[in-house]
Amino acid sequence: MMETIGPALVAICLLIGAIFTLVAGIGLLKLNDSMTRLHAPTKVGTVGVGAMLLASMIHSFVLGHESYHELLIMAFLFVTAPISANFIAKVQLHKRNCDAPPLPPRDDTWSTYDVPEFDRHHEELEEFSEPKAN
Amino acid sequence: MSEMPAFLEYTLIFTFVVVALSQIMAMIRLVIGPDTGDRILALDTMVVNAIGLIVLLGIAQGIQIYFEVSLIIAMLGFVSTVAYARFVLRGDIIE
């Protein structure tokens, strides 16, 4: 059973992974806005590599030495991809590469743009000391 | 390639070519990327594609050793992406 249907399952998973990875590369290259470009590789590319890892796991079952190690890499990639995407989105926001988000309804500003109390004190000091230096 | 059906070999070669193409596209974006965020994103994508290439190599040779390599590359890639982004955001990595 496994000898006949196993290689076909491996080939199907490899094809799914290849198509998803190709879509991620094209999206990263061809989209024309930096925030839009963020969407393509962080989601699609992760699914593509996940399908390839699934193919590797099925292939180990076909060869006869079972291994579940690939689940570890899959879980790690699926957990860390949104975190790195969030960090890159924060970089884009701070570099003002995209439209600024509308102001929040209650507070002064979003917490990403907010300056901590300590740094705000230092900024005031610098502003205060500038006329003296001149 | 050890005792593999012919269609699986062809699928494997196709997948190698496609992942390498995606890697080249990410490299082009790394070179022409108009800003720092795009370059960090291209590096992150290249790390993920490198993991895919190593997994494909493991399937093609039927060896289990490549698992450790791809796990270590996954961890280092995440840490380096966060370090780059944090350096751009705060001007420092460890405060």
Side-chain angles (χ1 to χ4, degrees), chain A residues 16 26-27 33 46 51-52 57 69 79 87 98 106 109 114 125-126:
Chain A
I16 292 173
I26 293 174
D33 187 21
T46 314
M52 284 179 208
M57 207 163 73
H69 300 303
V79 166
F87 266 100
C98 53
R106 264 187 260 159
T109 179
D114 201 11
L125 279 183
E126 279 168 13

Side-chain angles (χ1 to χ4, degrees), chain A residues 30-113:
Chain A
K30 295 296 280 184
L31 291 176
N32 50 10
D33 187 21
S34 53
M35 261 327 197
T36 324
R37 273 198 291 268
L38 186 58
H39 279 282
T42 51
K43 298 168 185 65
V44 183
T46 314
V47 175
V49 173
M52 284 179 208
L53 288 165
L54 197 64
S56 173
M57 207 163 73
I58 298 172
H59 189 65
S60 74
F61 276 94
V62 171
L63 286 184
H65 40 81
E66 293 86 359
S67 75
Y68 298 94
H69 300 303
E70 281 82 0
L71 283 179
L72 204 61
I73 309 177
M74 224 187 286
F76 188 79
L77 275 180
F78 279 29
V79 166
T80 56
I83 301 172
S84 51
N86 184 19
F87 266 100
I88 296 170
K90 267 188 185 176
V91 168
Q92 308 276 28
L93 276 176
H94 277 260
K95 288 272 189 177
R96 314 275 173 184
N97 283 332
C98 53
D99 298 337
L103 282 177
R106 264 187 260 159
D107 294 324
D108 294 338
T109 179
W110 295 103
S111 65
T112 315
Y113 291 136

Side-chain angles (χ1 to χ4, degrees), chain A residues 7-19 52 55, chain B residues 1 4-19 56 59-60:
Chain A
L9 275 178
V10 174
I12 289 172
C13 282
L14 279 180
L15 275 181
I16 292 173
I19 290 167
M52 284 179 208
Chain B
M1 305 211 176
M4 206 177 270
F7 70 93
L8 190 52
E9 280 190 21
Y10 291 137
T11 315
L12 212 50
I13 291 169
F14 171 74
T15 316
F16 264 120
V17 170
V18 162
V19 177
L56 286 179
I59 295 177

Side-chain angles (χ1 to χ4, degrees), chain B residues 3 6-7 9 12-13 18 23 26 34 54 59-60 66-67 71 75-76 82 86 89 92:
Chain B
E3 70 261 10
F7 70 93
E9 280 190 21
L12 212 50
I13 291 169
V18 162
Q23 189 83 302
I54 291 170
I59 295 177
Y66 292 110
F67 155 73
L71 186 61
M75 288 177 172
L76 282 182
V82 171
R86 195 139 179 87
L89 280 175
D92 206 350

Side-chain angles (χ1 to χ4, degrees), chain B residues 3 5 8 13 21 26-27 38 62 71 81 88:
Chain B
E3 70 261 10
L8 190 52
I13 291 169
L21 264 179
M27 215 179 288
D38 291 317
L71 186 61
T81 304
V88 173

Side-chain angles (χ1 to χ4, degrees), chain B residues 59-72:
Chain B
I59 295 177
Q61 300 185 355
I63 301 177
Q64 296 284 314
I65 302 173
Y66 292 110
F67 155 73
E68 278 91 359
V69 182
S70 45
L71 186 61
I72 287 174

